[in-house]
Amino acid sequence: MKRSIACIALTLLPLFAAAQDRRSDDYVEYRQAAFTAMGWHFKKMGAMIQGRAPYDALEFKRRAEAVSALSQLPAEGFLPETQDTQLATRLKPEMWYQKERFDTYMQDLITATAELAAQAGAKDKDDLRSVYGSAARQCKNCHDRFRESD
Amino acid sequence: MKRSIACIALTLLPLFAAAQDRRSDDYVEYRQAAFTAMGWHFKKMGAMIQGRAPYDALEFKRRAEAVSALSQLPAEGFLPETQDTQLATRLKPEMWYQKERFDTYMQDLITATAELAAQAGAKDKDDLRSVYGSAARQCKNCHDRFRESD
């Protein structure tokens, strides 16, 4: 009896392992999706600020609000179990030893993008340059420390 | 002179084509990211509604608000030029001949998820079953008509 239970357990083991991996991959896929959508809107705002695209106050506001909402999403994707993911990720492994700092960066991003969304709508894009720059700096802080470069 | 300009043009052509493809891919990547993030939160709400996860009114509200914000994002990723994308996509090509209906589905999704976010926070999850179901139906309407099945 004991032996047959052990046999069943051994047979099922790869299934559990696969389920676990798949779960990790779901988390990674989710957090990368949130960053991809965030980057999309952030870059379009950057193009307006830098004059590579015509400035449209309403469009800028819509994108700033999207970024502010999106900034709250990725954090829950950083589960310690995702260290075993099979997906490509640029996250530096040392993040897991500095999770508190990482969480602070995430919170700073949320605050900075909320401020950007609050000020968005200004008639003159130059009034948004500094608040956009603050949000961009939050992205960069975290990328510099915790993301592998290209 | 004419010949050398033609030569330069021919040399640059693949670069332009690549840039165009890459642009299409960016749009597809973006809209898929928005759907991935939306699906993540939508499924977690579904698990609560169906009793597969403990119901937490605050968490449900946070996810409903995320879905409502996310529902407004993918539309801009459906640019006709993306028909030449190199990325895997489950979009049925006939959507491009029924774009008006597709846009209506998108608007219905935005309306239904805004209503879900407005009602979220209820003490009793059973009070959310119907409004969650309405939002789920909007997902399904569009998937049935415009998304290849797995």
Side-chain angles (χ1 to χ4, degrees):
Chain A
M1 176 66 183
K2 254 191 195 161
R3 200 168 155 189
S4 66
I5 288 176
C7 277
I8 292 172
L10 279 174
T11 315
L12 292 178
L13 205 60
L15 291 178
F16 287 131
Q20 181 56 47
D21 284 349
R22 184 58 203 142
R23 186 162 172 263
S24 290
D25 290 353
D26 284 347
Y27 274 78
V28 172
E29 212 167 59
Y30 163 71
R31 74 194 188 205
Q32 290 181 342
F35 283 123
T36 296
M38 202 180 340
W40 171 271
H41 292 284
F42 205 77
K43 280 178 206 158
K44 301 248 178 215
M45 282 192 282
M48 286 191 237
I49 292 281
Q50 292 156 16
R52 287 179 287 115
Y55 175 65
D56 177 324
L58 274 181
E59 183 194 334
F60 193 98
K61 192 168 180 61
R62 176 173 67 77
R63 297 197 187 281
E65 283 169 354
V67 166
S68 174
L70 287 162
S71 72
Q72 301 173 42
L73 304 187
E76 78 176 275
F78 291 90
L79 207 71
E81 287 82 347
T82 59
Q83 288 171 85
D84 71 3
T85 184
Q86 301 299 308
L87 298 178
T89 158
R90 290 162 71 189
L91 181 66
K92 291 186 188 167
E94 55 257 44
M95 185 281 275
W96 298 106
Y97 303 99
Q98 302 173 49
K99 187 67 166 52
E100 217 165 293
R101 182 190 287 257
F102 179 82
D103 292 342
T104 307
Y105 282 160
M106 279 295 206
Q107 194 49 57
D108 290 347
L109 177 73
I110 291 170
T111 308
T113 56
E115 187 54 36
L116 177 60
Q119 291 195 30
K123 262 192 186 170
D124 186 349
K125 71 169 186 180
D126 287 329
D127 292 345
L128 298 166
R129 200 176 285 274
S130 146
V131 69
Y132 179 84
S134 296
R137 246 186 322 280
Q138 302 310 329
C139 302
K140 191 174 170 346
N141 279 347
C142 195
H143 292 173
D144 284 352
R145 185 172 288 263
F146 293 126
R147 192 175 72 161
E148 302 285 0
S149 42
D150 281 314
Chain B
M1 176 63 181
K2 255 191 193 161
R3 199 166 153 192
S4 67
I5 288 176
C7 277
I8 292 170
L10 279 173
T11 315
L12 292 178
L13 206 60
L15 291 178
F16 287 132
Q20 178 58 45
D21 285 347
R22 186 57 204 144
R23 185 163 173 262
S24 290
D25 290 353
D26 283 347
Y27 274 78
V28 172
E29 213 167 58
Y30 163 72
R31 75 193 187 206
Q32 290 180 343
F35 283 123
T36 296
M38 202 178 343
W40 171 272
H41 292 284
F42 206 76
K43 280 177 206 158
K44 301 247 180 216
M45 283 190 283
M48 285 191 236
I49 291 281
Q50 292 157 17
R52 287 178 287 114
Y55 175 65
D56 177 325
L58 274 182
E59 183 194 335
F60 193 99
K61 192 167 180 64
R62 176 173 67 76
R63 297 198 186 281
E65 283 169 355
V67 166
S68 174
L70 286 162
S71 72
Q72 300 173 43
L73 304 188
E76 77 176 277
F78 290 89
L79 206 72
E81 287 82 347
T82 58
Q83 288 171 84
D84 70 3
T85 184
Q86 301 300 308
L87 297 178
T89 158
R90 290 163 71 189
L91 181 66
K92 291 186 187 168
E94 56 257 44
M95 185 280 275
W96 298 106
Y97 304 100
Q98 302 173 49
K99 187 67 167 57
E100 216 166 293
R101 181 190 289 260
F102 178 83
D103 291 342
T104 307
Y105 282 159
M106 279 293 207
Q107 193 49 57
D108 290 348
L109 177 72
I110 291 171
T111 307
T113 57
E115 187 55 36
L116 178 60
Q119 292 195 31
K123 262 193 187 170
D124 186 348
K125 71 169 185 179
D126 287 330
D127 293 345
L128 297 167
R129 200 175 284 274
S130 145
V131 69
Y132 178 84
S134 295
R137 248 187 319 280
Q138 301 309 329
C139 302
K140 190 174 170 350
N141 279 347
C142 195
H143 291 174
D144 284 351
R145 185 172 288 262
F146 293 126
R147 192 176 72 159
E148 302 286 1
S149 42
D150 280 315

